[in-house]
């Protein structure tokens, strides 16, 4: 065997090992978890928060991030979109997926938003988000984002651990969501770029908002409605036949020779009335690959 | 060369030509405004004009048509008319001319409904109709187009039919009730029989080859209260056609129509059931008589993009039958305009959401 071939095999094995090792890496501890675009935190505060968030991320098995922004936006939707973009672009996510939670604070719009991604959407529902916001609200209002971030990380970890403990206890929460295997549930909520539909549907309001924000959709909707209107305008030009049998019938010669309505029998069909049983499920409201909730301070 | 006669009516006062006035329902001299009853003109104050036959002079749809040439008694100009024209005008002096031989014997109409809508009203109605269609090409309300509107007495056969229908059906009526956790659906079954007969009177069917059947059908109903015995003066000032199709030719179309009428009538009597399944249906329709009549119609033909569009108006009731052509340019304009407007409004709403 030539030396070059040996080198090639070694390199190939090294690459495979790297890939396998990469797969086993739960998350990137070195990735900085404090995004301070306004210079709010001091360097030491940033380091301390990063360490704290990294520690809590390990416990919660979710990537925990904080982001401070000072950006002019036209509405809450833009803030939420911005938070999701920052999270996605930075490549956060636990367990080779995207699972994580970000506390996003925009000082310009004075909007605090908790953005959930991956399995965190399912862990942290709308009520949890409200509870977390309630817990950190005083700090947010007073401008103490350092403590707010720590409290946020604590709260998320507590909620996530409940799920992790339950899973370890054998309570397979994914079954409640109608999944037949944990893999399917995991793929839906954790993995990036999955084609599988989420079981939790976005609200009608969110769908409409998303559509109306997109100019292309506005044109498509406008064209469809316009097409229908123009079609009706064109079709309105037809004249229908007005005369019918009654126009020419001679009632003086009308003779009814026979009229019979004879009862024959009655048949009966018995059917059981189905009663519908209700079911419930957790999870926060979301659209696309993210969930979340927020409020103004 | 054949010797036939065409008729015009002259004013007893000044000798000018007289026309039937739709508003007055009488003959009126356009020159001295003398008014006279239609009856007064039957066989009086008429001129005849001579006729030549010119064969193969024109072609239409690759078929040679036979044109008859008449000499106008007023100006001496030639009047050309095809085989079925019964009343026309001199193209040179505009004098009305009726071809009497096509209105006599078996070709003589039994009835006529005189025009009640005059030309001015017809133009007014047409203009309003054309302008109402926002997709209609502007050519359709140009003066040159509007001036082409023509009053025509269209030949119709008025049929009387006797119809009888015997029908048996299986009908059902359903009701339901709930007892405990069960729903009981009861279906009552009935045997239904109907045997009904009646006459249908004066059902019109146009007997002109030139007039589209569907358009003429939609002009109905005519008010037969104005139906009167035919007299030639009613035609003065209008075009008229003699029938192309005999009463026997048109009978199958009418029988089909009468069968639909009697079927609808019988089915109308079966009420109170949720479902009706006809098991037997026997129909007998019998033509009693058919009378030849001329009925008044205002017609305007206009060609657009190589396709002919006909505006037709009942000359008695004013009912309009026409399919407006659609201008591709206007459709595109409206479509683009509405799309841009809606897209802009939706996007603005989206910004504020």
């Amino acid at each position: 065997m030539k030396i070059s071939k040996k080198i090639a095999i070694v390199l190939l094995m090294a690459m495979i090992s790297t890939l396998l090792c990469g797969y086993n890496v739960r998350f990137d501890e070195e990735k900085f978890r404090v995004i301070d675009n306004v210079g709010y935190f001091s360097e030491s505060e940033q380091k301390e928060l990063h360490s704290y968030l990294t520690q809590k991320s390990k416990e919660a098995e979710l990537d925990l991030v904080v982001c401070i922004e000072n950006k002019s936006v036209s509405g809450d939707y833009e803030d939420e979109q911005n938070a999701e973009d920052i999270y996605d672009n930075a490549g956060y996510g636990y367990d080779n997926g995207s699972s994580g939670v970000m506390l996003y604070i925009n000082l310009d719009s004075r909007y605090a938003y908790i953005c959930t991604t991956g399995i965190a959407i399912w862990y942290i529902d709308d009520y949890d988000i409200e509870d977390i916001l309630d817990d950190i609200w005083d700090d947010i209002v007073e401008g103490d984002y350092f403590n707010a971030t720590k409290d946020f990380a604590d709260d998320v970890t507590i909620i996530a651990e409940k799920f992790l403990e339950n899973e370890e206890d054998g309570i397979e929460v994914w079954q409640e969501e109608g999944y037949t295997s944990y893999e399917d549930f995991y793929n839906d909520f954790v993995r990036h770029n999955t084609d599988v539909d989420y079981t939790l549907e976005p609200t009608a309001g969110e769908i409409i908002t998303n559509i109306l924000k997109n100019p292309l959709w506005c044109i498509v909707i406008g064209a469809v409605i316009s097409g229908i209107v123009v079609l009706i305008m064109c079709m309105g030009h037809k004249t229908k036949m007005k005369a019918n049998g009654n126009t020419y019938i001679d009632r003086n010669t009308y003779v009814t020779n026979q009229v019979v309505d004879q009862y024959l029998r009655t048949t009966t069909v018995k059917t059981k009335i189905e009663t519908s049983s209700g079911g419930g499920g957790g999870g926060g409201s979301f659209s696309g690959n993210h969930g979340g909730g927020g409020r103004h301070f | 060369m054949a010797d036939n006669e065409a008729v015009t009516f002259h004013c007893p006062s000044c000798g000018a030509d007289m026309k039937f006035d739709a508003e007055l329902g009488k003959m009126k001299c356009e020159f001295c405004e003398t008014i006279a009853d239609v009856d007064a003109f039957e066989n009086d104050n008429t001129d005849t004009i001579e006729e030549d036959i010119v064969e193969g002079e024109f072609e239409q749809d690759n078929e040679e048509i036979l044109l008859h040439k008449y000499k106008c008694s007023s100006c001496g100009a030639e009047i050309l008319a095809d085989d079925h024209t019964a009343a026309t005008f001199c193209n040179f002096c505009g004098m009305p001319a009726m071809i009497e031989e096509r209105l006599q014997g078996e070709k003589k109409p039994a009835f006529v409904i005189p025009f009640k809508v005059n030309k001015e009203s017809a133009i007014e109605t047409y203009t309003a109709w054309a302008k109402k269609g926002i997709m209609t090409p502007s050519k359709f309300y140009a003066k040159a187009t509007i001036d082409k509107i023509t009053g025509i007495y269209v030949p119709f056969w008025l049929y009387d039919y006797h119809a009888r229908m015997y029908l048996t059906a299986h009908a059902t009526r359903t009701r339901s009730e709930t007892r405990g956790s069960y729903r009981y659906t009861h279906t009552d079954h009935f045997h239904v029989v109907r045997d009904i007969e009646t006459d249908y009177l004066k059902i019109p069917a146009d007997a002109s080859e030139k007039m589209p059947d569907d358009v003429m059908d939609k002009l109905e109903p005519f008010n037969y209260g104005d139906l009167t015995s035919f007299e030639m003066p009613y035609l003065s000032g209008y075009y008229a056609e003699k029938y192309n199709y005999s009463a026997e030719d048109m009978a199958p179309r009418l029988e089909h129509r009468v069968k639909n009428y009697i079927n609808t009538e019988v089915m109308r009597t079966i009420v109170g059931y949720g479902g009706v399944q006809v098991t037997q249906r026997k129909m007998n329709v019998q033509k009693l008589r058919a009378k030849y009549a001329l009925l008044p119609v205002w017609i305007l033909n206009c060609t657009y993009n190589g396709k002919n569009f006909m505006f037709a108006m009942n000359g008695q009731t004013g009912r309009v039958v026409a399919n407006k052509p659609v201008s591709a340019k206007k459709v595109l304009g409206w479509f683009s305009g509405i799309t841009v407007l809606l897209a802009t409004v939706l996007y603005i709403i989206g910004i504020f959401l």
Side-chain angles (χ1 to χ4, degrees), chain A residues 2-270:
Chain A
K2 287 181 181 177
I3 297 171
S4 57
K5 274 191 176 179
K6 282 182 182 173
I7 293 168
I9 290 168
V10 169
L11 282 172
L12 189 67
M13 287 181 74
M15 280 171 70
I16 292 167
S17 306
T18 310
L19 285 169
L20 287 172
C21 288
Y23 187 75
N24 289 328
V25 169
R26 300 287 276 177
F27 78 124
D28 186 355
E29 289 187 30
E30 297 307 313
K31 196 180 281 285
F32 207 63
R33 294 187 161 69
V34 180
I35 303 166
D36 184 3
N37 290 334
V38 294
Y40 182 83
F41 297 122
S42 65
E43 199 173 326
S44 60
E45 282 177 329
Q46 287 191 17
K47 280 181 182 169
E48 189 181 337
L49 274 180
H50 169 70
S51 301
Y52 195 79
L53 288 169
T54 305
Q55 178 57 36
K56 288 293 173 184
S57 295
K58 283 181 195 167
E59 292 171 20
E61 297 190 7
L62 296 170
D63 219 341
L64 304 182
V65 184
V66 64
C67 174
I68 311 285
E69 267 282 17
N70 189 15
K71 189 178 179 183
S72 175
V73 291
S74 57
D76 296 348
Y77 177 83
E78 202 177 323
D79 262 331
E80 289 158 16
Q81 198 70 52
N82 190 35
E84 289 166 6
D85 290 345
I86 290 168
Y87 185 92
D88 289 341
N89 294 336
Y92 292 112
Y94 193 85
D95 210 4
N96 287 323
S98 60
S99 297
V101 190
M102 184 167 79
L103 174 62
Y104 170 92
I105 300 163
N106 188 347
L107 300 181
D108 185 81
S109 60
R110 300 187 63 74
Y111 188 62
Y113 178 65
I114 291 173
C115 172
T116 55
T117 309
I119 204 165
I121 298 168
W122 197 83
Y123 282 180
I124 301 163
D125 64 17
D126 290 346
Y127 299 106
D128 293 331
I129 288 170
E130 287 303 311
D131 287 344
I132 296 168
L133 287 171
D134 284 344
D135 191 32
I136 65 174
W137 202 243
D138 287 343
D139 290 336
I140 294 277
V141 173
E142 287 166 13
D144 187 356
Y145 307 135
F146 184 83
N147 274 332
T149 304
K150 281 190 165 181
D151 288 346
F152 151 78
D154 291 343
D155 292 344
V156 171
T157 307
I158 290 165
I159 294 165
E161 279 178 340
K162 279 182 191 169
F163 279 90
L164 295 170
E165 281 165 17
N166 285 343
E167 202 169 54
E168 282 163 13
D169 291 344
I171 301 167
E172 292 166 328
V173 290
W174 46 270
Q175 283 183 335
E176 290 175 18
E177 284 298 304
Y179 284 87
T180 52
S181 69
Y182 179 75
E183 283 68 31
D184 291 343
F185 170 72
Y186 180 84
N187 282 335
D188 270 10
F189 280 92
V190 182
R191 294 287 182 200
H192 249 323
N193 305 322
T194 177
D195 290 323
V196 183
D197 288 337
Y198 290 91
T199 52
L200 298 173
E201 296 294 332
T203 63
E206 284 170 339
I207 293 169
I208 292 166
T209 307
N210 286 340
I211 288 171
L212 295 183
K213 293 277 182 192
N214 187 335
L216 194 67
W217 273 113
C218 292
I219 292 168
V220 170
I221 294 167
V224 169
I225 296 170
S226 172
I228 293 166
V229 170
V230 170
L231 197 68
I232 291 167
M233 284 158 81
C234 293
M235 284 170 71
H237 294 168
K238 307 274 180 192
T239 314
K240 288 179 183 169
M241 181 100 181
K242 193 179 176 187
N244 54 35
N246 282 331
T247 312
Y248 304 109
I249 198 164
D250 180 11
R251 293 284 170 195
N252 296 324
T253 60
Y254 194 96
V255 179
T256 305
N257 294 312
Q258 200 179 358
V259 174
V260 175
D261 291 272
Q262 184 189 1
Y263 170 75
L264 298 174
R265 64 187 179 280
T266 298
T267 54
T268 302
V269 177
K270 179 183 169 188

